[in-house]
Amino acid sequence: MSDDKLIYFFGGEQTEGGTELKSLLGGKGSNLAEMAKIGIPVPPGFIITTEACKQFYDIGETELMKKLKPEVEAYLERLEHATGKTYGKGPNPLLLSVRSGAALSMPGMMDTVLNLGLNDETFEILIEQTGDRRFALDSYRRFIQMFGDVVMGISDKDEYGNTFDPLHKVMDEIKEKYNVELDTDLTADHMQEVVDACKQTYKTYTGEEFPQDPEEHLMRGITAVFRSWNTPRAVRYREIHEVRGLLGTAVNVQAMVYGNLGEDSGTGVAFTRDPATGENIFYGEFLMNAQGEDVVAGIRTPQPIEKLKEIMPDIYSELDEIRHKLERHYKNMQDIEFTIEKGKLHMLQTRIGERTGTAAVKIAMDMLDEGLLTEEEAILRVPASDLDQLLHPRFDEKAEKETELLAKGLPASPGAATGKVVFSADAAEKAKDRGEQVILCRIETSPEDIGGMHAAEGILTSRGGMTSHAAVVARGWGKCCVAGAGRIQIDYGKRLFRVNGKVFNEWDWISINGSTGAVYEGKIPTVEPKMTGYFARLMDLSDKHRTLGIRTNSDTPKDTESAIKFGAEGIGLTRTEHMFFEGGRIVSFRRMILVAERVKAIKDKIRDAEGDETKIKKIKEENRQTLSQYEKALDELLPLQREDFKGIFRSLEGRPCTIRLLDPPLNEFLPHDDAGKIQMADDFKVPVDDVRSTVRALEEINPMLGHRGCRLGLTYPEVSDMQVRAIIEAAVSIVKEEGIKVEPEIMIPLVGKTEELKLARERAEAVIQRIMAEHNVTEEEIPYKIGTMIEVPRAAITADQIAEEAEFFSFGTNDLTQMGCGFSRDDAGSFLPEYLRLGIYERDPFQTLDQDGIGRMVQTGTELGRKTKPDLKVGICGEHGGDPDSIKFCHRIGLDYVSCSPFRVPIARLAAAQAAIEFGTEIPKKEVTLVV
Amino acid sequence: MSDDKLIYFFGGEQTEGGTELKSLLGGKGSNLAEMAKIGIPVPPGFIITTEACKQFYDIGETELMKKLKPEVEAYLERLEHATGKTYGKGPNPLLLSVRSGAALSMPGMMDTVLNLGLNDETFEILIEQTGDRRFALDSYRRFIQMFGDVVMGISDKDEYGNTFDPLHKVMDEIKEKYNVELDTDLTADHMQEVVDACKQTYKTYTGEEFPQDPEEHLMRGITAVFRSWNTPRAVRYREIHEVRGLLGTAVNVQAMVYGNLGEDSGTGVAFTRDPATGENIFYGEFLMNAQGEDVVAGIRTPQPIEKLKEIMPDIYSELDEIRHKLERHYKNMQDIEFTIEKGKLHMLQTRIGERTGTAAVKIAMDMLDEGLLTEEEAILRVPASDLDQLLHPRFDEKAEKETELLAKGLPASPGAATGKVVFSADAAEKAKDRGEQVILCRIETSPEDIGGMHAAEGILTSRGGMTSHAAVVARGWGKCCVAGAGRIQIDYGKRLFRVNGKVFNEWDWISINGSTGAVYEGKIPTVEPKMTGYFARLMDLSDKHRTLGIRTNSDTPKDTESAIKFGAEGIGLTRTEHMFFEGGRIVSFRRMILVAERVKAIKDKIRDAEGDETKIKKIKEENRQTLSQYEKALDELLPLQREDFKGIFRSLEGRPCTIRLLDPPLNEFLPHDDAGKIQMADDFKVPVDDVRSTVRALEEINPMLGHRGCRLGLTYPEVSDMQVRAIIEAAVSIVKEEGIKVEPEIMIPLVGKTEELKLARERAEAVIQRIMAEHNVTEEEIPYKIGTMIEVPRAAITADQIAEEAEFFSFGTNDLTQMGCGFSRDDAGSFLPEYLRLGIYERDPFQTLDQDGIGRMVQTGTELGRKTKPDLKVGICGEHGGDPDSIKFCHRIGLDYVSCSPFRVPIARLAAAQAAIEFGTEIPKKEVTLVV
């Protein structure tokens, strides 16, 4: 390609260029050229390159257009030769379309002007040629309207400030005048009136007569396309979507063909396979005697593509051949547009077809079988996030469409759910016990609501974002959740919510779509997801190609079982605290908290008395009751936790299990409403003021940065001891009594400094050694590990030191994002949406790992850790472990595994395989000086 | 030195080793040897090395003691030769002392056993020799007591569990029996009874007779010293204080001398200069006919050292010569101990003398003049933190000692203050207006209290740590503050506080010592600090040697002036928000907040209507009132801020000034008590529920990680615009009208990602260019800079990117510590003390920069920033900017300047000079892989 070549021709054998020149010819143009090149009938035309657009801005409009004009004339002549027609002249006038088309589809640019070449003269010839005056008039008025709107930017505002298109308004007025409803009902005479009125209006708004020089039309059209590249809207679109490195837009100039020249003409759109199911059938629709926009407008009902077989069997078989040719050529399902003009087929567009997740999987597997794709290509063909659709129930599509939308929240956890409205966790649990389906509606949820959230079919909150408590918990369970539906005003007191002037009482039916955020009135039938054999095959293929391990975040045997069914290779995160909320154990846990502070004070006294055994004994004597309450509470929790772990170990069938010790601040376990406090005081026979003051004492200004994680374990070591004991005793029991292998990995959370891990590890080791000795078990029998979560920035940056005490790292990227970016995910709602709008962050860093920043911390932490221990096992257990882009990043920086919620395990398997194929296993590095 | 040499001799010309062997001989031993070597009379002895102690643990006690025994015997023989006495035998028995002594002074190890060599036989000879039976008996009982206690560990507990020493108890019983008060009142016969009783008690507790073999005494004594190196207490002390790399403790065996052998004997302690003032006078005290412990015990009042001139002029002049010799030799002020035995002077110890800050400065400058020290040595001789004493008022020492301590809090901001108790900022301000001195007592302070805090003499809080709001603000002002005095229970309602059963009402007098944390009842007279010429000279010298710039954190012209007087070279941090709290401006600021949220909603609507001018106009029309309220509030603030900046620029006299744009969350500016809300509603004529709901809407779960810093500036850009405008207009006015140079550096806070800085910078640039154009001012006239605070971990780790948009970096290490370590400084009180106790952090990371972690972030950020811009100006403006160790770190990693509160500027200057001398200007580096 020469630098000077600014125009490419396409049409039959003269075609220059093809898809390989996409960046120069744009998406649309390069595909037209490609089709022409492989012998598919395409109306000929030429493409002015994106390079020309670049020069338009580099050397200026006047200069470029001056340089371009003779070339356009030359290519126009070539086009006239190819079509045997003459542009803007009789006897056989060439009519053209002008379209923009950058390498990426981009809203905000000029779209299309059709029927260039018409003027008062050629329009008469058109009547003559087609014998159809109304057609010619209709074509002419369309041209004037498009030219006026798109090229000249004619537009106006009504008295209310609403924008309208004057050229379409005159037509509406004439329709009104003749009391005509559809455009097609206008007669030729009416249409003449429209054309005249459009010309008049054009003059009113532009101050000039509608131009009659077709060359001027063409050059103005080309200029308009170039200009549209830099409208504020287009510039902003590129900024926000970080579209960079494009030269500009190409301009496609193409001979017009008409599907509305009688009953041997027509137009249609089709997919080369069924885009909903993926079935290998020709799928599309067409209209005879119609133009493309008529199919889209939906005024006449199009016919299914098979019907064409009956009406025009030759055309159908030509089209079907083209369908196969395109698929073989592009190795992908195509979305095509065609027009039949007087019995001759013309292809107007081909592009990769959009499809559902189900279709994506089936098409990829079918094309693999058909030999069109290699395994690698087939794996890359399915967007990992699309699998989500295959794993959750959906609403019946038709029924959903017919139901009125009440409100829209955030699509916080995919799936569909229908149920009766309840406003408390308690009500949800009781209803579930009675066998009723409910949707739990809360302003926000808190850990106290866990039981009710689990019992509900779905969760709806009026406040909170994609990473609010409700959203995170729901995604963990694969339960449908719509979060932050702000227009729903919940009144707990009256047990109702208001939205759009309507009132919904408790026990009214609603439906929510967690994939779209939609909230509906009443019941909508749901469709269970279909898990096909194709899916299983794709998963097997993924496993064959991936190198990254996939684990799951799970706190229960049930979730663990479903994760394993989905292909999880172990547990990457068990949050022991979730277990504390269940049933009666919250009572024991609260008893422990209530005395823990007092125990701490007693221990301080004992410490002060160090060396003086008599005094220590006396202190213990005096506080016997408090100390025994503490022990009693821990003793109550021990067997419960042990059973929890046994259940999980059993369901893992020998797979490894990372268990995080107690993490959240103690305050999260206490009741925050007064009724709860009174109840708690009553439970423990203490004054309610004791409960209130404990709650108050544990309140924190920034709980995220407060007394939690290993800080709890180090200040209340008996709690960690109990947890470690429960883990190891459970392991002993499962190994010894049930003969199942157990690989417990005890994870110390929120470590920031080596010394924390060292102390916690030593304490845990002591407990473990004691229990293993008691039960006469060896480390070969229970190959346990002790490691840490890297979630404090300090830990990431000093990971070389921390690795000295750790047998594994698991990056907790949720908290690492909070602390690393300084974003409280509970509060970020006040500025993060604005940040996304301003393009400061391209995507919500809580959903997709912020690779440049937090990702750099993860990579640095990994590198530093492995500098100390080259074979350190490193994984990630934040929410990002289920996000395809983040998973690919984890693969690239050489992590050993990602851990995600059970329902995202298949997505992770596929994304990991894609990463291995796309990036290989080389870890990219650039060294800088970091002082250690 | 040979590996086998485990014992060193000292005494006269035979002396082996000296201070150069401190690590092998310990501190005490090496100084004894050194004195002997330079001809100072020291009772001879020998030192068993720390290497021997190491072998004691390496090869085991039995093995080492077996190996050591013949060597000890050989050295004992040598000592006998040197003294002409025989150990454990007549006719001239040698008596010995055994003392431990590591290279660093270390509590927790065995201290001293005196009078070894006494037994029933030699004791009789001693009577004969001295003719003083009581002296011999007294020496013997001391030996039995020390040996029993220190070597044998005899100890017991009473019925209440209190530990007691049975060997001292028997003596007390005998004193009681004879109704005798002082030890000295016991007659020889009484003393005989004591010796007998001690022997009996020894037998009771050890099951053996008191041993009579002096060699056994010696070997047991040596063994006890070695064992004491590894007692749990000593091990823990070394762990906590990170004392590493020591071999062990040495054992000093030395001939005894006695100061209690009559009126020609005596003992004393002295400093070679006055340790309080630094004056070059001999300063000390002595007692005739006494032993060392008698001077310390304070039973008899010692005489000042000059008196010795009269009593024993020869001894005095010998001592005075030694004093000068030691100073010339050690080039430092010494703390010495001596004994005169029958008219002969013996030196028993010399070590570097402790001194006050004032003395340290004077001594260093004097010794420089005297030619004893070089400039560098003189600078290194003054601990930078000691300067603090020179800069704040103190209590009259005697008066303070005599006043009863009420409670102890944290020494949050140094100085002393006396005043009447008040409980509200308002009361403090009003009292100040009346000319009354008050101490503001609060549970905690908040930004609302600023006015009252400023008006008070001192601040006392019952909650909060060294970096609580009260502490930080007080230190900034150099105002005395005691924080977190937990035992003081403040009752705002009743306007009183309770402590130790006492009640203090409003207007009662108290006194607080911010350097020690002490709280006293009543008034204590204060002494103003004396700033001497020596101090100025030390500062000049420091400036000559330092390379690090020193700026100050200051928000007012007054503070700026005092900082400049202290030597600040500019402002490193002006917090614009502190100005908003003053006087009436809080009203304007609150008005702004009250409408800001509504304005944001309006702007969203306008944005949605983009391109539709009519609609936009309509929205603006409808919300005219809200928008104008917003503008009005900002318009009110503009001239106030402008005047603030003018004042500061004026006081800076051309020095650079870093101004941080609005940083704290808006909620901090709103009233949180109901009365305040009602008042605010009344001020603005809005329903109080509007105020309440605004306060509620701005509440955050983790305000530290919330809507603050540049997040405010990006979501409410008009506020930043106003601030930037005020800065530049002030600069224009000062430059144009007053002819004073201005170098404003606009600092965007809390940047985490380049894009934030880019947007904020562009917006600020637009405002600046507009104003400079309006006033026809060039960038040469106002050489402004725009930079950022690096305080979010993400920013530190992506500083290479951020530097692209920044002209300077200032590390905000307070917040960087909070986010980097994940510690909320408001909440860390629940675990940080325990962390310090456990040795997880050696020092509070909010007081001294955590060099390993947060320091690594600072260094990484600096390196990365300069990778992009090699001459990027980098400073630090967190609290650490005033901490000597942190300042030295900043020097080492190559920062351009530190910024600290005015009162710490001198400390910073000295610390910076010390850093330059200690570390030079080479930046130490070790490369690791960091992926960027």
Side-chain angles (χ1 to χ4, degrees), chain B residues 449-614:
Chain B
D449 300 326
I450 288 279
M453 291 165 75
H454 202 267
E457 298 299 307
I459 300 152
L460 169 64
T461 69
S462 61
R463 202 185 290 161
M466 290 296 288
T467 48
S468 60
H469 178 261
V472 171
V473 172
R475 279 200 296 278
W477 291 331
K479 188 177 291 280
C480 169
C481 173
V482 171
R487 284 164 65 189
I488 289 183
Q489 295 178 298
I490 297 178
D491 185 331
Y492 289 141
K494 297 190 180 143
R495 305 213 149 266
L496 56 79
F497 70 73
R498 290 192 174 81
V499 59
N500 297 343
K502 287 190 182 181
V503 174
F504 287 76
N505 290 298
E506 200 155 33
W507 312 115
D508 285 347
W509 284 85
I510 61 167
S511 299
I512 59 175
N513 186 336
S515 309
T516 63
V519 182
Y520 301 99
E521 180 168 1
K523 292 193 214 186
I524 303 177
T526 55
V527 184
E528 282 306 301
K530 269 182 244 146
M531 298 276 284
T532 61
Y534 298 101
F535 181 78
R537 239 185 105 201
L538 177 65
M539 287 295 103
D540 287 345
L541 269 186
S542 297
D543 288 351
K544 182 176 160 194
H545 286 272
R546 74 180 158 91
T547 54
L548 190 67
I550 310 292
R551 295 196 185 186
T552 190
N553 301 344
S554 164
D555 309 333
T556 64
K558 190 166 154 271
D559 282 352
T560 308
E561 278 158 27
S562 74
I564 287 172
K565 238 180 280 163
F566 283 136
E569 298 163 321
I571 285 181
L573 175 63
T574 285
R575 287 153 292 209
T576 50
E577 63 271 13
H578 278 190
M579 306 170 181
F580 289 139
F581 287 107
E582 274 178 35
R585 35 191 92 179
I586 188 77
V587 176
S588 303
F589 200 76
R590 284 176 176 172
R591 188 198 316 283
M592 192 277 289
I593 295 172
L594 206 56
V595 290
E597 277 291 317
R598 269 182 285 156
V599 169
K600 221 177 130 203
I602 296 165
K603 282 165 64 186
D604 281 345
K605 275 194 208 164
I606 291 174
R607 189 173 300 125
D608 289 344
E610 195 190 318
D612 186 342
E613 287 310 319
T614 324

Side-chain angles (χ1 to χ4, degrees), chain A residues 86-301:
Chain A
T86 330
Y87 180 61
K89 280 206 210 72
N92 197 1
L94 174 61
L95 300 186
L96 296 176
S97 65
V98 171
R99 292 180 167 100
S100 66
L104 290 174
S105 161
M106 195 177 304
M109 290 195 307
M110 191 195 93
D111 189 13
T112 300
V113 182
L114 300 177
N115 301 339
L116 280 86
L118 279 184
N119 59 11
D120 292 350
E121 188 189 327
T122 50
F123 146 72
E124 294 293 349
I125 300 172
L126 197 61
I127 298 174
E128 218 169 286
Q129 278 190 321
T130 60
D132 188 342
R133 183 162 162 257
R134 194 194 168 285
F135 162 74
L137 280 164
D138 191 28
S139 299
Y140 200 15
R141 71 92 190 164
R142 281 180 205 249
F143 173 51
I144 300 168
Q145 283 176 333
M146 285 188 183
F147 191 85
D149 172 15
V150 174
V151 177
M152 304 304 292
I154 293 171
S155 125
D156 203 348
K157 302 217 169 123
D158 67 14
E159 55 190 313
Y160 306 109
N162 296 322
T163 311
F164 68 92
D165 179 346
L167 293 163
H168 278 92
K169 197 178 166 212
V170 293
M171 177 148 153
D172 287 342
E173 282 165 358
I174 288 165
K175 276 157 77 180
E176 213 169 301
K177 176 175 165 190
Y178 294 108
N179 198 19
V180 150
E181 207 171 307
L182 298 176
D183 291 3
T184 41
D185 294 339
L186 290 169
T187 64
D189 287 343
H190 296 152
M191 213 44 111
Q192 181 68 57
E193 225 177 302
V194 171
V195 168
D196 294 343
C198 278
K199 282 183 179 170
Q200 187 51 49
T201 305
Y202 182 96
K203 191 178 171 188
T204 309
Y205 279 88
T206 64
E208 56 176 54
E209 295 287 347
F210 185 75
Q212 291 295 317
D213 177 3
E215 257 187 53
E216 188 186 335
H217 292 162
L218 184 55
M219 294 316 286
R220 280 209 200 176
I222 292 167
T223 305
V225 173
F226 284 151
R227 282 187 187 156
S228 74
W229 174 252
N230 260 3
T231 57
R233 233 183 104 205
V235 170
R236 191 151 144 228
Y237 178 88
R238 289 197 295 274
E239 267 181 16
I240 292 175
H241 293 85
E242 294 197 350
V243 176
R244 293 191 191 108
L246 294 191
L247 296 170
T249 178
V251 188
N252 300 297
V253 179
Q254 190 178 19
M256 289 291 300
V257 287
Y258 294 93
N260 55 347
L261 286 179
E263 286 311 314
D264 57 351
S265 298
T267 190
V269 295
F271 291 87
T272 55
R273 307 197 181 203
D274 186 332
T277 65
E279 246 187 297
N280 191 357
I281 52 161
F282 201 11
Y283 183 96
E285 46 192 26
F286 70 100
L287 269 176
M288 295 311 287
N289 198 12
Q291 277 192 298
E293 57 194 275
D294 300 328
V295 180
V296 181
I299 296 165
R300 284 155 63 197
T301 305

Side-chain angles (χ1 to χ4, degrees), chain A residues 635-808:
Chain A
D635 286 349
E636 277 173 16
L637 288 166
L638 175 69
L640 299 171
Q641 286 249 299
R642 192 168 47 213
E643 285 310 306
D644 291 333
F645 294 130
K646 280 171 71 173
I648 288 172
F649 290 153
R650 202 177 283 127
S651 64
L652 274 171
E653 296 171 333
R655 295 174 182 85
C657 183
T658 308
I659 301 165
R660 180 177 73 182
L661 300 187
L662 186 65
D663 183 58
L666 296 184
N667 204 26
E668 273 194 19
F669 299 92
L670 296 180
H672 291 104
D673 57 327
D674 218 54
K677 289 175 197 163
I678 292 165
Q679 176 66 52
M680 181 169 157
D682 198 49
D683 283 351
F684 301 140
K685 312 273 173 272
V686 295
V688 66
D689 272 347
D690 278 18
V691 174
R692 287 200 187 105
S693 75
T694 302
V695 172
R696 211 176 307 119
L698 291 174
E699 269 166 14
E700 295 187 299
I701 305 209
N702 296 292
M704 177 65 216
L705 308 175
H707 196 174
R708 49 178 286 251
C710 68
R711 299 164 196 173
L712 288 175
L714 290 165
T715 47
Y716 304 106
E718 299 79 7
V719 180
S720 299
D721 289 353
M722 181 276 289
Q723 292 200 303
V724 171
R725 185 173 161 195
I727 293 166
I728 300 299
E729 286 184 350
V732 168
S733 155
I734 291 290
V735 168
K736 288 280 190 184
E737 289 159 28
E738 308 186 22
I740 299 170
K741 232 180 88 190
V742 177
E743 272 189 47
E745 301 175 338
I746 295 171
M747 181 154 74
I748 315 292
L750 210 73
V751 163
K753 201 161 186 276
T754 324
E755 286 76 4
E756 291 173 291
L757 182 57
K758 183 167 185 281
L759 288 175
R761 197 174 62 76
E762 284 168 357
R763 183 121 190 167
E765 289 276 11
V767 173
I768 294 171
Q769 293 304 332
R770 184 169 55 76
I771 293 162
M772 302 220 329
E774 262 171 31
H775 292 86
N776 201 17
V777 178
T778 66
E779 283 190 33
E780 278 87 63
E781 287 172 288
I782 301 178
Y784 72 92
K785 285 195 178 72
I786 298 178
T788 184
M789 198 139 165
I790 304 282
E791 51 189 332
V792 174
R794 193 191 187 288
I797 206 143
T798 60
D800 47 340
Q801 293 160 18
I802 296 195
E804 281 166 21
E805 298 290 335
E807 289 173 274
F808 63 88

Side-chain angles (χ1 to χ4, degrees), chain A residues 756 797 835 856 860 930, chain B residues 756 797 835 856 860 926 930:
Chain A
E756 291 173 291
I797 206 143
Y835 265 37
R856 200 186 263 197
T860 302
L930 171 70
Chain B
E756 291 173 293
I797 206 144
Y835 265 38
R856 198 186 264 196
T860 302
K926 249 169 75 185
L930 171 71

Side-chain angles (χ1 to χ4, degrees), chain A residues 157-163 232-233 236 242 244 444 600 604 607 610-615 618 699-708 710-712 714-715 750 752-753 755-756 759 792-795 797-801 818-831 834-835 837-842 850-854 856-857 859-860 863-864 867 924-932, chain B residues 157-163 232-233 236 242 244 444 600 604 607 610-615 618 699-708 710-712 714-715 750 752-753 755-756 759 792-795 797-801 818-831 834-835 837-842 850-854 856-857 859-860 863-864 867 924-932:
Chain A
K157 302 217 169 123
D158 67 14
E159 55 190 313
Y160 306 109
N162 296 322
T163 311
R233 233 183 104 205
R236 191 151 144 228
E242 294 197 350
R244 293 191 191 108
E444 286 170 305
K600 219 177 135 206
D604 282 345
R607 191 174 299 124
E610 195 190 318
D612 187 342
E613 286 311 319
T614 322
K615 196 168 173 190
K618 204 171 130 216
E699 269 166 14
E700 295 187 299
I701 305 209
N702 296 292
M704 177 65 216
L705 308 175
H707 196 174
R708 49 178 286 251
C710 68
R711 299 164 196 173
L712 288 175
L714 290 165
T715 47
L750 210 73
K753 201 161 186 276
E755 286 76 4
E756 291 173 291
L759 288 175
V792 174
R794 193 191 187 288
I797 206 143
T798 60
D800 47 340
Q801 293 160 18
Q818 295 200 74
M819 288 182 241
C821 293
F823 292 163
S824 160
R825 72 180 186 195
D826 296 306
D827 304 309
S830 56
F831 59 88
E834 183 77 359
Y835 265 37
R837 200 191 62 76
L838 290 169
I840 292 172
Y841 280 86
E842 204 188 333
D850 156 36
Q851 297 182 11
D852 283 351
I854 305 307
R856 200 186 263 197
M857 284 190 202
Q859 182 162 17
T860 302
E863 296 286 336
L864 290 176
K867 188 168 159 268
K925 273 179 205 174
K926 251 169 73 185
E927 300 214 349
V928 299
T929 302
L930 171 70
V931 183
V932 294
Chain B
K157 298 210 173 129
D158 68 11
E159 55 189 312
Y160 308 107
N162 297 320
T163 311
R233 233 181 105 205
R236 191 149 143 224
E242 295 196 352
R244 294 190 190 109
E444 284 170 306
K600 221 177 130 203
D604 281 345
R607 189 173 300 125
E610 195 190 318
D612 186 342
E613 287 310 319
T614 324
K615 196 168 174 190
K618 204 171 131 217
E699 269 166 15
E700 295 186 301
I701 304 209
N702 295 291
M704 178 65 217
L705 309 175
H707 196 175
R708 50 178 286 250
C710 69
R711 299 165 197 173
L712 288 175
L714 291 165
T715 46
L750 211 73
K753 201 161 187 274
E755 286 75 5
E756 291 173 293
L759 288 174
V792 175
R794 194 191 186 286
I797 206 144
T798 61
D800 48 340
Q801 294 160 18
Q818 295 202 73
M819 289 181 241
C821 292
F823 292 162
S824 160
R825 72 180 184 193
D826 296 306
D827 304 308
S830 55
F831 59 88
E834 183 76 0
Y835 265 38
R837 200 191 62 76
L838 289 170
I840 292 173
Y841 280 86
E842 203 188 335
D850 156 36
Q851 297 182 12
D852 283 351
I854 305 308
R856 198 186 264 196
M857 282 189 203
Q859 181 161 16
T860 302
E863 297 284 337
L864 289 176
K867 190 167 158 264
K925 273 179 205 174
K926 249 169 75 185
E927 301 216 348
V928 299
T929 302
L930 171 71
V931 185
V932 294

